[in-house]
Amino acid sequence: MQAKKRYLILFSAGACVILLLCFGGIQVPLSGRGPSRRDDGSLAGYHPGARWRRLQGYLQSFSTFEKDRSDDLSEHISPRQKRDTNSFLYTGKRCRMESCFDFSLCERNGFKVYVYPQQKGEKISESYQNILTSIEGSRFYTPDPAQACLFVLSLDTLDRDQLSPQYVHNLKAKIQSLPLWNEGKNHIIFNLYSGTWPDYTEDLGFDIGFAMLAKASISTENFRPQFDVSIPLFSKEHPRTGGERGYLRHNTIPPYRKYVLVFKGKRYLTGIGSDTRNALYHVHNSQDVVLLTTCKHGKDWQKHKDARCDKDNAEYDKYDYREMLYNSTFCLVPRGRRLGSFRFLEALQAACVPVMLSNGWELPFSEIIDWNTAAVIGDERLLLQIPSTVRSIHQDKILSLRQQTQLLWEAYFSSVEKIVLTTLEIIQDRVLDHNSRSSLMWNSLPGGLFTLPRYSTHLGDFPFFYAKLGIKPYPKFTAIIHVVTPLVSQSQPVMKLLVAVAKSQYCAQVIVLWNCDKPLPAKHRWPATSVPFIVIEGESKVISSRFLPYDTIPTDAVLSLDEDTVLSTTEVDFAFTVWQSFPDRIVGYPARSHFWDSSKERWGYTSKWTNDYSMVLTGAAIYHKYYHYLYTTYLPASLRTMVDQMSNCEDILMNFLVSSVTKLPPIKVTQKKQYKETMMGQSSRASRWADPDHFAQRQTCMNKFANWFGTMPLVHSQMRLDPVLFKDQVSILRKKYREIERL
C-alpha cells in the first residue's frame, strides 16, 4: 500500500513538471543557440502581441549582447523561421544607432558620405553604378575618407542571388580586406536581391557586421528599426535622375475608374511565394476585378504546369497591362518570390492605389512615410475579403489615397537618385536628431527632400505649410537691390528705385548688395529712407551672392531687384499682396519662356512677348527667403560656379529650383508695357541685354540645368494677375492701384 502511494506521488509530481514546462511555468535557458526570430522581433517591439512589449528597461546595452545570447528564451517557431534564423545571424543582428554607429565621425565635418574607389576588374551593374553616381553628385559626398561620417562600398552588393550573372563572388574576403571596413561600422550596404532558389532567404552570403542595410524586400523580423532602411525594389530601367511625373493629371470626381482591382503577373507553381498568387483566381471575375497570372515563365515551366495553366495563359494574353494599370482604382501588389515587387512602384506612379498583400514586408521608407494615407494594407490570409474591402472605401478617401500616391512617387521614388537621397536624409536625421524632420514634413508637399531641417524645424518658417497651420506669412518684405556699377550720379536708376521701394507700406528693410569692384560709397551719398537701410559687400563679388541666406533678412518675403529696374511704389505694393496668396511661388514682372527646339534637339530660351511664360526673372520678383537657403545648400557647387563664372543665368537657375520644388509655374503680375525696352535703355546693362553671347549663354544654361535636374521642371502658364478694376470703365478714384494704369 505504501509503495502504491509513493508511485502515485512520483507520477503526480512528474505530470506537474511536464505541464509547467509546456505552459511556460518553468523557463529553460538554451545554451549554444542564437535568439529565435520571434524573440528578436519582440525585442524590436514589432509584434503587438508580445508579452513584454511595453516594459521599459528590458533591453540591456547592445554592447553586451554577445555574452547574453545564452540567456535568450526559446519559443516555438516555424520551420521557415528556423531556416531564416540560421541564415541571417549577422554579427550586428541587434544593432541600433546608439550601439553600432560612431557618431563622433559626424561631429567634425557634418554628415558626409565617402564612396570607396572602384577596384580594377570588379564588375558593377548599371543599377549600382547609378546609386554610386547619385551619391557622388549629392551635397553629402566627400572624396576624403577622413571627413566621412558614412561609407559606401564600391563592390556591387545589389544582387546576392548566386544564380544571377550580376552576383559578385568572394565578396566576404574582398570586404574584410578593406582598410576602412572596421567590422562595418558607419557603413551602409545597398541590396535589392538576396537568397536564391528555392528558399530565397534574406542571407547576403557574407557577414555585414555592424553595417546598416538599405534593402529591398526586407521582412519586419529581420529589419532593425532606426538602423536599417527599407528601400523599394526597382528595375534596371529605373531612371537615374528626374524620372517621369505621376499620371494623375487632374482629379476626377467621383474618383472611380473602369476597373476596381487589377493585377497581372507571374504565377509560381512551386516554392516560396506561390500560395498567394495561386489563389488569385478565386476573386477574379473578368469584369471589374481582373487578376491575371501566367505560368509561362522559366525554361521548364511546362514540366510543372497544372490544370489551370492553359486557361490562365489564354486569359493573361487578352489584356494590356498598361491599359489596366491606368484604368483601375486599386492595384493588387502580392508578394513574389521575395516580399517586394515591381508592381509597387508601377502602381504608385499610375495613381492606382496599391493593395499590399505581402505579410511581413517592411514597407519602403516606413520610418518616415505613413503608408496608411497612400495604400491599403491587406492580409494574405484574408484574400477573399479584399474585393469587398476596397469596394467599401468612400470616394473621398479614394481621392485622398490617390493624391498621396502622386506626392510619394514624385518626392521619393521616381528616380534612383531620389531613392538614394531619401535613404541618406533618413540616416542624417538620425545622426542629427535635434534637427530632424517631422512626419508632416515627410508626408506633405513638397516632401522631405526639399524641406531641410538644418534651416528650421518650425513648419511656419517654410513657404509650404501656411495653409495647414492656419497662419499667414509675415506682412512685410525685405528688398535686396543687386548693384554692380559704381555710384556716380544721384539720378541713377538705382537711387530712384531705392526711394520708390522704401515708400512701400509693406517694406520692412532695404538691403543694397554691393557687387561692384569700386569701393563702397560714403553713407551720405545714399538717399534718406524711412525704413532701415543696409549696404552689404557681396561675397567674392559673384552673382550667386545675391541668393545667399543673409541673417540680416528679418522677413519671410524677399523682393529681389536689379539696379536698373524701374518700378513704382504702387507696383511693388500690388506684387506683394499677390505674393501673400502664393507664398511658395515666385511672383513678379519680367516673364520669359522655354521651348523644345526639335531641330536642334535641345531646350530653347525666349524673351518674346507671347501668350504664355514659364519664368519670372528675379530682377523684379518676390519670393520666400527659404529659397535662398535651398539655392545655396541644395544645388550643387558646380551649377553655382558655372553661373558665377558667366555672371549670368542665376535667375533661370532660381526659377528651375522653385518650379522643381512646387511643380507649379511662377505668377506674373501687371507689368508696364515698356518694361523690357526701359531696361534695355539703361546704360548699366544695355550691353548685356544686347550682347548675343549673353543670350547664347542662357540657352546653354537651360540645357545644363535640365540635365542636372534630370527633367525640365519649368511649367508654362497663361495666367497674369491684374488689380481688380484694372482698365475697367469706372472712375480712377475707385481703383486701389490706380497708378499702375497711368504708367
Side-chain angles (χ1 to χ4, degrees), residues 452-494:
L452 305 185
R454 261 54 68 192
Y455 173 76
S456 176
T457 56
H458 176 52
L459 295 175
D461 290 337
F462 295 90
F464 320 116
F465 306 110
Y466 291 123
K468 287 183 180 292
L469 298 175
I471 61 175
K472 293 182 178 180
Y474 185 70
K476 297 277 187 179
F477 66 80
T478 298
I480 300 180
I481 304 175
H482 185 231
V483 178
V484 295
T485 56
L487 196 63
V488 295
S489 168
Q490 292 296 313
S491 61
Q492 282 182 227
V494 66

Side-chain angles (χ1 to χ4, degrees), residues 679-723:
M679 292 186 69
M680 292 182 66
Q682 304 299 333
S683 60
S684 62
R685 291 185 60 173
S687 59
R688 282 188 63 190
W689 286 95
D691 186 2
D693 289 340
H694 175 81
F695 191 79
Q697 284 178 344
R698 294 173 81 79
Q699 300 274 12
T700 302
C701 289
M702 293 284 294
N703 291 277
K704 290 277 189 181
F705 298 161
N707 181 63
W708 185 83
F709 281 92
T711 185
M712 171 50 74
L714 298 178
V715 182
H716 281 103
S717 175
Q718 297 181 355
M719 180 178 72
R720 188 186 78 180
L721 296 185
D722 297 335

Side-chain angles (χ1 to χ4, degrees), residues 103-121:
F103 288 88
S104 66
L105 297 181
C106 312
E107 293 172 358
R108 296 189 298 270
N109 302 293
F111 187 75
K112 294 295 182 182
V113 184
Y114 173 75
V115 177
Y116 283 81
Q118 295 186 14
Q119 300 180 14
K120 217 171 198 181

Side-chain angles (χ1 to χ4, degrees), residues 216-234:
S217 305
I218 192 170
S219 67
T220 54
E221 292 170 284
N222 290 322
F223 181 75
R224 297 168 293 180
Q226 297 292 317
F227 192 71
D228 292 332
V229 179
S230 177
I231 63 174
L233 183 66
F234 58 87

Side-chain angles (χ1 to χ4, degrees), residues 143-317:
D144 183 2
Q147 295 184 356
C149 167
L150 188 68
F151 298 82
V152 179
L153 302 176
S154 62
L155 295 166
D156 192 343
T157 56
L158 277 192
D159 195 339
R160 300 305 298 154
D161 185 339
Q162 296 179 21
L163 300 179
S164 170
Q166 304 294 342
Y167 182 80
V168 177
H169 295 275
N170 304 319
L171 194 55
K172 178 179 179 181
K174 293 173 182 177
I175 290 177
Q176 294 294 339
S177 67
L178 296 173
L180 301 173
W181 175 242
N182 191 24
E183 295 185 282
K185 269 202 169 186
N186 290 53
H187 283 67
I188 184 167
I189 292 172
F190 288 88
N191 175 257
L192 295 181
Y193 306 99
S194 60
T196 190
W197 189 89
D199 297 324
Y200 295 94
T201 66
E202 296 184 36
D203 185 8
L204 300 188
F206 65 95
D207 189 347
I208 66 172
F210 300 116
M212 290 179 279
L213 267 179
K215 189 180 189 311
S217 305
I218 192 170
S219 67
T220 54
E221 292 170 284
N222 290 322
F223 181 75
R224 297 168 293 180
Q226 297 292 317
F227 192 71
D228 292 332
V229 179
S230 177
I231 63 174
L233 183 66
F234 58 87
S235 68
K236 63 181 180 181
E237 290 82 20
H238 206 56
R240 184 180 68 82
T241 60
E244 293 184 40
R245 293 196 62 180
Y247 296 142
L248 185 63
R249 293 291 182 255
H250 55 274
N251 294 320
T252 304
I253 307 294
Y256 300 122
R257 293 176 172 177
K258 178 180 178 180
Y259 304 109
V260 172
L261 180 68
V262 300
F263 171 76
K264 189 177 183 183
K266 298 175 182 177
R267 177 160 71 89
Y268 305 107
L269 300 171
T270 58
I272 191 169
S274 59
D275 294 344
T276 301
R277 296 196 181 195
N278 279 341
L280 294 182
Y281 77 98
H282 288 295
V283 292
H284 167 74
N285 64 15
S286 298
Q287 296 174 8
D288 60 349
V289 177
V290 181
L291 308 178
L292 308 170
T293 59
T294 180
C295 313
K296 197 185 298 183
H297 56 89
K299 295 179 181 178
D300 56 351
W301 70 272
Q302 290 185 329
K303 294 180 182 178
H304 304 286
K305 65 184 293 188
D306 57 21
R308 289 200 348 261
C309 274
D310 290 335
K311 181 180 178 182
D312 285 354
N313 293 343
E315 187 84 351
Y316 185 91
D317 293 335

Side-chain angles (χ1 to χ4, degrees), residues 364-382:
F365 303 138
S366 55
E367 183 176 333
I368 58 160
I369 293 177
D370 181 4
W371 282 110
N372 290 315
T373 63
V376 177
I377 314 299
D379 190 319
E380 292 179 74
R381 298 166 296 183
L382 303 176

Side-chain angles (χ1 to χ4, degrees), residues 76 156 296 338 353 410-412 420 476 528 550 559 660 705:
H76 171 72
D156 192 343
K296 197 185 298 183
R338 299 174 179 86
V353 180
E410 294 181 6
Y412 309 119
V420 171
K476 297 277 187 179
Y550 295 105
L559 171 60
S660 178
F705 298 161

